[in-house]
Structure formats: structure tokens, C-alpha cells
Amino acid sequence: MPLARALIGKILVRELPTGELLTGRIVETEAYTLGDPSSHAFRGPTQRNASMFKRHLHAYVYFIYGSAFCLNISSEAEGTGAAVLIRAVEPLTGIETMRTLRGPTIKDRDLARGPGRLCAAFAITKSQDTLDLETDQTLWLATETTKKFAIGTSPRIGLSQEQSRPHRFYLKSSPHLSGPRTLSP
DNA sequence: CAGAGGATCGGCT
DNA sequence: GCCGATCCTCTGG
């Protein structure tokens, strides 16, 4: 859970096969911790969720509702199944390429607002599953040294249970957040 | 092997 | 705000 908060404000960097860099500031995350019934890792390791059991800072990418990929970052030690879902980023560079990936008429604020849209905008699919973000050359995290951010918390989005836990973190006053407005004060 | 459900999105009301 | 699409993954028989 500390990782979910720590990731707010970090920069997600993606290098495409063309060599172009896409970057965005992480503005919204959700923690899926050990023993959480709504976590994909709750029932133990399977072929799909294996990446959640890797050492921290490995990518876990899964396909959902027949239409979207979601990017998570493993958050605990090797053998512990836990991860942070990246729900939204603020696009910084490569915006025109993101628009070609998402649609020519999409507004900047909607390019990567929502976990599925984020993956589409950054060309992230199942082939990025299991990547080590500490060493990989196509997907990694960067830090803006001087910045500080006001961070809010709320219940997570889209769950049928566990709605009481405030495991969602977001950059306050960001216009790039996903979910109902009532959750993004 | 069949069935059910999901950490979503986009379109329509 | 609500609803349906769409398909991967897991579970049970």
C-alpha cells in the first residue's frame, strides 16, 4: 500500500519500437494487498496472476471485459501476491502518438483517464506482462525530484465488494482522474 | 468442456 | 446514469 501512494506523481515512461518516448504523470492508483478478497491474487498464484507474485516493480497486465488491458505494478517481496493498479496518468509527451493509438478526436484529458484507456494510449498489452520496470528498456518509471503533490484517498472503483477500504489514491485537483466525480473532489 | 463473471469502455437517455 | 459488448480466465463436473 505504501507503493500506491508513492507512485502518485511519478512519471510512466514507454519507449515504442520506433524509439519514440511516451510519458505521463501518474495521477491515480489503487492498492490490491495481501489478503484482499477483491485482489486477483487472493486465491493464490495462477498462470494469469503470476506477475503479482514477483518482486516489487514488475508489470502485471491483464485483459478485462473483453475490451481493455490494465497495468499493475507488483508491490511486495518475491512470493507475495500484491500489486498497484495504475488507473490514470496525465499525458506529458508523445501526445499526438497517443491520439493515433486512441482516436483522432480524443481530448488530452481523456487520452489516459481510466486503466484501459491508459494502456491503449501507451501501447501496453499482455506482451508487457512480467517486465521488470527497474531494468527494462521499454517501460519504466522516472521521478521529478523537486515536485510535491497533495494526495487524496477514496474507496476503489468498480468493485462489487470491499467498498469501504480507502485504497484508491489520487493527485488532488488533477483534471485527469477517472471514475465518478463524486469520488474525485 | 461448459458456464459464469469481471480492478472497463463507449454510446445512448 | 444506465446498459450491453466482448473475451479471457478460472472453476467445477
Side-chain angles (χ1 to χ4, degrees), chain A residues 10 106 168 170:
Chain A
K10 293 287 191 297
I106 309 277
R168 173 171 175 259
Y170 57 90

Side-chain angles (χ1 to χ4, degrees), chain A residues 14-185:
Chain A
R14 171 94 166 100
E15 182 174 325
L16 299 177
T18 61
E20 181 180 7
L21 289 184
L22 307 179
T23 71
R25 179 179 294 116
I26 296 174
V27 297
E28 183 180 349
T29 64
E30 285 179 357
Y32 290 86
T33 53
L34 183 65
D36 179 349
S38 58
S39 168
H40 288 181
F42 183 62
R43 294 170 187 242
T46 65
Q47 191 166 11
R48 172 170 74 150
N49 67 20
S51 298
M52 290 186 76
F53 291 81
K54 289 179 172 290
R55 195 186 72 251
H56 63 90
L57 299 178
H58 284 69
Y60 166 47
V61 182
Y62 66 89
F63 192 68
I64 188 71
Y65 294 128
S67 60
F69 291 98
C70 294
L71 171 66
N72 301 248
I73 300 178
S74 65
S75 56
E76 300 293 335
E78 172 81 25
T80 300
V84 175
L85 172 66
I86 311 300
R87 288 197 57 91
V89 310
E90 171 188 350
L92 295 176
T93 62
I95 289 178
E96 283 314 309
T97 298
M98 293 183 197
R99 224 186 299 284
T100 66
L101 289 163
R102 288 267 294 118
T105 63
I106 309 277
K107 299 191 294 276
D108 284 10
R109 74 189 308 198
D110 293 331
L111 279 176
R113 204 192 80 208
R117 295 163 173 173
L118 182 165
C119 283
F122 279 71
I124 291 171
T125 68
K126 194 83 177 159
S127 44
Q128 275 67 50
D129 186 41
T130 75
L131 292 185
D132 180 353
L133 301 196
E134 291 189 297
T135 61
D136 195 79
Q137 303 296 299
T138 64
L139 187 63
W140 68 94
L141 296 168
T143 304
E144 291 177 296
T145 51
T146 59
K147 302 252 182 181
K148 290 193 176 179
F149 301 100
I151 296 174
T153 66
S154 80
R156 292 171 297 184
I157 294 176
L159 299 183
S160 51
Q161 39 178 318
E162 296 300 320
Q163 289 162 351
S164 60
R165 307 194 195 210
H167 282 9
R168 173 171 175 259
F169 299 85
Y170 57 90
L171 185 52
K172 274 191 178 176
S173 74
S174 171
H176 299 270
L177 302 178
S178 74
R181 288 182 180 236
T182 54
L183 290 177
S184 311

